[in-house]
């Protein structure tokens, strides 16, 4: 991608390039020619929202406002990531070199952090019998395996005539199917699938729509209205709907609630994602370079969030007070920002961008040209 134009000049989005291994890092370095500052800015701002929302979980009880903010952010923060991931997966065809990058950029981090979070729970969480399971993602590692599955299916979605309606039907059917949430977090894979498929279907001109001044102005009342609405319904709605990890039956809801919530949440997420993207800066900013390191921020911030639970920091330091919630929010934002910096990205490159020539056939480059 490339740096957005300054002033009133409209910068075109980049042509479709080689799909990268993660939604969080569509290219290895933030200053590499061809990067679009808009997407790096969007990824950084989204990962800050992810970290803050995760930090609100243990402190939102007793605060209707915090619960409403949590619901508001949860409606669109992962859909935004997944949609951008789909957009940068459009040229994935399953060629050997693409599969190599898929393994090194998703499977390896998944395996490493699945083990790391399991051992962390054993040590800090007082759960010595915590199993290390490669088929039952722990905490936030589900996104890595989900992205791996979605990207493998990209050629199929690029072939189907009406991919988004099909993906929505699959998501709705998933919400009616209990007992599939454990293996590879399949429930989430199915229910978040429409956002990835939508990203595959988007074109540069669609992102130009949200870059218009009119879109930015419209985004303000939309976001404010959504905040007021979530504050109104906050005490009455179950947060499990937003996680998309369980079926309607498992939530003790009537069967028809699954498809209804699937379509309703998809619509809400789409509107709020558009409002979010409308206010993402197009030019290079101080945090643009951090957009290339959001995979590190995503994988690392969970250790801090879980520390609040494992070490009972909330009652120990009275973090469930108004001042405590402000402190938690600021700490989460600053910490995840630090985790996205180039030094951290370089330190974690062995797991997020490992060189694995030893693991693949030397003739794979020749195979990819056939």
């Amino acid at each position: 991608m490339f740096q957005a134009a300054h002033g009133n000049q409209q910068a075109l989005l980049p042509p479709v390039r080689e799909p990268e291994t993660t939604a969080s890092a569509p290219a290895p370095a933030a200053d590499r020619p061809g990067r679009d500052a808009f997407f790096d800015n969007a990824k950084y701002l989204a990962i800050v929202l992810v970290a803050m929302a995760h930090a609100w979980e243990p402190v939102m009880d007793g605060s209707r406002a915090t619960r409403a903010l949590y619901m508001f952010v949860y409606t669109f923060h992962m859909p935004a990531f997944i949609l951008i991931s789909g957009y940068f997966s459009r040229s994935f065809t399953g060629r050997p070199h693409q599969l190599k990058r898929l393994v090194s950029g998703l499977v390896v981090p998944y395996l490493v952090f699945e083990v790391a979070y399991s051992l962390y729970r054993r040590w800090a969480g007082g759960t010595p019998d915590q199993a290390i399971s490669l088929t039952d993602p722990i905490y936030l590692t589900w996104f890595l395996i989900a992205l791996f599955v979605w990207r493998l299916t990209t050629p199929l979605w690029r072939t189907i005539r009406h991919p988004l309606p099909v993906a929505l039907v699959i998501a709705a059917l998933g919400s009616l199917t209990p007992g599939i949430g454990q293996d590879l977090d399949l429930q989430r894979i199915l229910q978040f699938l429409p956002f990835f498929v939508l990203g595959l279907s988007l074109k540069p001109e669609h992102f130009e729509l949200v870059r218009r001044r009119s879109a930015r102005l419209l985004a303000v009342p939309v976001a404010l209205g959504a905040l007021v609405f979530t504050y109104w319904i906050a005490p009455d709605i179950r947060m499990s709907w937003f996680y998309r990890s369980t079926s309607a039956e498992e939530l003790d809801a009537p069967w028809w609630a699954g498809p209804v919530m699937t379509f309703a949440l998809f619509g809400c997420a789409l509107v709020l994602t558009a409002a979010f993207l409308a206010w993402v800066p197009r030019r290079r900013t101080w945090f643009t370079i951090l957009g290339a390191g959001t995979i590190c921020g995503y994988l690392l911030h969970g250790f801090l969030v879980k520390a609040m639970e494992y070490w009972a920091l909330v009652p120990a330091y009275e973090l469930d007070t108004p001042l405590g919630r402000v402190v938690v929010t600021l700490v989460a934002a600053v910490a995840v920002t630090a985790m996205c910096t180039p030094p951290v990205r370089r330190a974690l490159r062995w797991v997020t961008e490992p060189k694995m020539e030893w693991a693949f056939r030397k003739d794979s480059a020749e195979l990819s040209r056939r």
Side-chain angles (χ1 to χ4, degrees):
M1 299 173 230
F2 60 89
Q3 181 175 343
H6 295 282
N8 295 324
Q9 182 182 355
Q10 295 295 319
L12 297 176
L13 285 173
V16 179
R17 297 182 54 183
E18 194 63 50
E20 301 298 328
T21 54
T22 68
S24 319
D31 55 352
R32 181 160 298 183
R35 291 188 71 93
D36 188 335
F38 172 77
F39 286 105
D40 280 327
N41 293 337
K43 295 197 302 298
Y44 166 74
L45 294 174
I47 198 60
V48 170
L49 291 176
V50 169
M52 290 194 305
H54 283 164
W56 290 336
E57 273 186 48
V59 300
M60 68 180 178
D61 287 345
S63 172
R64 184 171 179 171
T66 306
R67 183 177 174 86
L69 282 172
Y70 181 83
M71 289 173 51
F72 175 77
V73 171
Y74 249 83
T75 301
F76 72 91
H77 69 350
M78 288 310 297
F81 257 116
I82 296 167
L83 184 146
I84 293 174
S85 170
Y87 180 73
F88 284 102
S89 297
R90 293 177 300 165
S91 61
F92 184 86
T93 59
R95 295 191 296 273
H97 73 283
Q98 294 175 326
L99 295 174
K100 287 167 59 177
R101 296 168 70 182
L102 200 60
V103 170
S104 61
L106 287 177
V107 176
V108 170
Y110 171 73
L111 295 176
V112 171
F113 279 88
E114 180 71 12
V115 173
Y117 274 107
S118 298
L119 295 178
Y120 185 55
R121 188 178 183 191
R122 286 185 184 182
W123 168 66
T127 312
D129 58 345
Q130 170 65 39
I132 298 177
S133 172
L134 301 184
T135 61
D136 184 12
I138 184 172
Y139 196 34
L140 46 71
T141 58
W142 71 269
F143 179 62
L144 298 176
I145 200 65
L147 186 53
F148 175 76
V149 173
W150 292 329
R151 189 158 284 170
L152 281 180
T153 63
T154 293
L156 173 63
W157 297 111
R158 299 288 288 171
T159 302
I160 295 177
R161 187 182 297 273
H162 302 293
L164 184 57
V166 173
L168 283 168
V169 169
I170 291 175
L173 292 175
S175 71
L176 298 176
T177 311
I180 63 171
Q182 296 296 320
D183 293 341
L184 300 183
D185 235 340
L186 186 57
Q187 190 68 256
R188 275 177 167 154
I189 291 177
L190 297 181
Q191 291 199 38
F192 277 113
L193 173 64
F195 299 103
F196 183 83
V197 174
L198 175 61
L200 288 174
S201 306
L202 292 179
K203 298 179 180 179
E205 52 264 32
H206 294 129
F207 287 96
E208 284 299 319
L209 293 176
V210 299
R211 293 182 172 196
R212 295 178 178 178
R213 184 173 182 272
S214 57
R216 292 197 298 274
L217 294 177
L218 182 60
V220 175
V222 167
L224 291 177
L227 278 170
V228 171
F229 181 70
T230 52
Y231 185 82
W232 177 50
I233 67 172
D236 303 315
I237 192 167
R238 297 187 62 173
M239 284 305 309
S240 297
W241 288 114
F242 295 85
Y243 304 148
R244 296 175 174 86
S245 59
T246 48
S247 66
E249 179 180 326
E250 291 166 320
L251 293 175
D252 298 321
W255 69 268
W256 50 264
V260 168
M261 290 300 290
T262 296
F263 288 101
L265 286 175
F266 178 79
C268 292
L270 188 58
V271 170
L272 290 181
T273 296
F276 165 72
L277 292 175
W279 278 95
V280 170
R282 291 178 292 175
R283 66 185 184 282
R284 290 190 64 84
T285 66
W286 65 268
F287 55 79
T288 300
I289 194 173
L290 303 179
T294 48
I295 184 63
C296 300
Y298 179 80
L299 292 172
L300 292 177
H301 84 274
F303 291 104
L304 292 181
V305 174
K306 282 300 181 181
M308 296 172 65
E309 172 190 342
Y310 295 158
W311 296 335
L313 299 182
V314 174
Y317 294 96
E318 298 183 350
L319 297 178
D320 54 350
T321 62
L323 177 59
R325 295 184 184 102
V326 172
V327 171
V328 165
T329 302
L330 293 176
V331 169
V334 172
V336 78
T337 297
M339 294 169 184
C340 295
T341 55
V344 176
R345 192 169 72 246
R346 288 192 294 269
L348 280 187
R349 189 161 290 165
W350 66 274
V351 63
T352 59
E353 303 173 43
K355 297 183 182 300
M356 298 183 61
E357 289 83 356
W358 56 269
F360 300 100
R361 292 171 49 176
K362 294 183 178 179
D363 60 349
S364 60
E366 176 65 26
L367 292 172
S368 65
R369 290 192 289 268
R370 292 180 182 177

